[in-house]
Amino acid sequence: SIKIWNMTTGVYKKTLMNPNSVLSLITNRDGEIICGLGDNSIKIWNSTEELVKRTLNGHTSFVYSLIINNNDKLISGSD
């Protein structure tokens, strides 16, 4: 699962439920949460609506690293 907290107050806000292990997290310019998972996929969450906007498949192993480059391309890494 992904937990969202208010960093100023330390107050817990909400949980985005995911059935697989979350191994990496980043956010994009739109405030979406992008997570690399233990089922070899990447999920892009709309955190406001608490919905998965898109699932990206293609890795053959756990997705351990994510970065968005200067051209707004998502780059992901796995074993």
Side-chain angles (χ1 to χ4, degrees):
S1 66
I2 299 167
K3 301 237 182 244
I4 299 175
W5 305 81
N6 180 308
M7 289 181 26
T8 303
T9 65
V11 173
Y12 163 79
K13 294 178 80 177
K14 61 182 147 185
T15 299
L16 304 178
M17 295 305 296
N18 189 67
N20 298 294
S21 297
V22 177
L23 305 173
S24 54
L25 281 173
I26 60 171
T27 58
N28 65 14
R29 292 180 195 203
D30 297 329
E32 296 167 327
I33 297 172
I34 304 167
C35 59
L37 301 171
D39 68 352
N40 311 341
S41 72
I42 298 166
K43 293 209 183 289
I44 302 172
W45 286 84
N46 177 318
S47 60
T48 304
E49 297 177 10
E50 300 181 32
L51 297 172
V52 174
K53 181 178 175 181
R54 181 173 294 131
T55 300
L56 305 175
N57 295 299
H59 281 279
T60 57
S61 186
F62 300 164
V63 181
Y64 288 111
S65 58
L66 299 167
I67 190 169
I68 297 173
N69 72 8
N70 294 336
N71 296 324
D72 282 335
K73 301 236 189 271
L74 175 64
I75 301 168
S76 56
S78 65
D79 285 339

